[in-house]
Amino acid sequence: MTITRTAPVRTVTPVTGTGKRRVTRGRLGLHAFLMTVSLAFLAPLLLAVYASLRPYEETAKYGYFSLPRHLSFDYYAQAFNDSGMGKYFINSLIIAVPGVLLTLFLASFVAFCVTRLRMRGGLVLLMVFTAGNLLPQQVIVTPLYVLFTKIDLPYWMSDSMTMYDSYWAVLSVQIAFQVGFCVFVLANFMRTLPEEITEAARVDGAGVWTQYWNITLPLCRPALAALATLQFTWMYNDFLWALVFISDGDKLPITSALNNLRGQFFTDYNLLAAGSVIVALPTVLVFLLLQRHFIAGLTLGASKG
């Protein structure tokens, strides 16, 4: 007697349409909501760009939301020349570029020590760095002002012979306040890296610096790029610390250049809008250059279970 086995029949549900993902009402509503929020955030920037291309007489007569009669880039050249933005751009770069590099270096090394070397009290140290971000910056403005006026520096470092009225004051404050946030982000990222990589390097005789610089740091490139974008934006746009710790107008950052476009009795807001767009261009350029790494750094771990 021969027994024949038949394979179970599988029912295949036909794919309707052209194989594309089915569009639902929920997805359409989500996209509509995201587009609305995006336009709400972009509206001030788009209005500033639109106003900077129109003469002030036209907007004064017809309003800022009227159709344009004449568009030109004349205000951009006038804003750059009248405010002297060239030297202010250099001042901002002197503060922002070293500030970002030193912040990321110090934060990455602290995060490496806390997560990879298993140092005693590492968790407490991480909590202290994180708690520093909860302190309002305005609370310590007066103590820092008094402190910087009492710290002496050689003439080649500061014209005032003190830390006050120098780039060192603004730079040190920026690094001190931003290191805690970067340590928190990098420590959480380094915990996701396999421990076997560091253990294998240690077995091969790699020292602490080799483990940090040649092994761990290259793996943190997405997180470092995301933090570099954020840190450059925050330090570049900051105006409070420079206003408090710098008295020489020639040392002020680019954010102070916009004050030069305001008249005593009259302010051309179209000219001021053009200056604002010029000031914002470096941050947009940095984001475009690091966009791929920035997005990768923000989405890392999003698909992990």
Side-chain angles (χ1 to χ4, degrees), residues 11-137:
T11 58
V12 180
T13 304
V15 179
T16 59
T18 59
K20 296 182 179 180
R21 180 177 294 183
R22 183 179 177 183
V23 180
T24 61
R25 292 183 179 179
R27 184 173 295 275
L28 288 176
L30 176 62
H31 283 280
F33 172 75
L34 294 177
M35 291 180 61
T36 304
V37 173
S38 301
L39 289 176
F41 276 95
L42 289 175
L45 177 60
L46 296 177
L47 181 60
V49 174
Y50 181 52
S52 65
L53 298 175
R54 304 178 63 188
Y56 179 80
E57 294 78 9
E58 181 179 310
T59 55
K61 181 178 181 180
Y62 300 103
Y64 282 96
F65 296 97
S66 59
L67 294 177
R69 273 74 174 176
H70 178 71
L71 297 176
S72 68
F73 291 93
D74 297 339
Y75 270 138
Y76 287 92
Q78 182 180 351
F80 188 86
N81 295 326
D82 292 354
S83 62
M85 285 188 179
K87 63 179 180 181
Y88 294 109
F89 268 123
I90 296 176
N91 295 340
S92 293
L93 293 179
I94 291 175
I95 297 173
V97 174
V100 171
L101 296 178
L102 289 174
T103 299
L104 294 182
F105 172 74
L106 295 175
S108 61
F109 205 82
V110 173
F112 173 80
C113 295
V114 171
T115 58
R116 291 303 185 182
L117 299 184
R118 299 177 181 176
M119 57 179 297
R120 183 175 300 177
L123 181 59
V124 177
L125 181 63
L126 182 60
M127 293 175 61
V128 170
F129 273 96
T130 306
N133 294 325
L134 304 178
L135 178 67
Q137 300 181 4

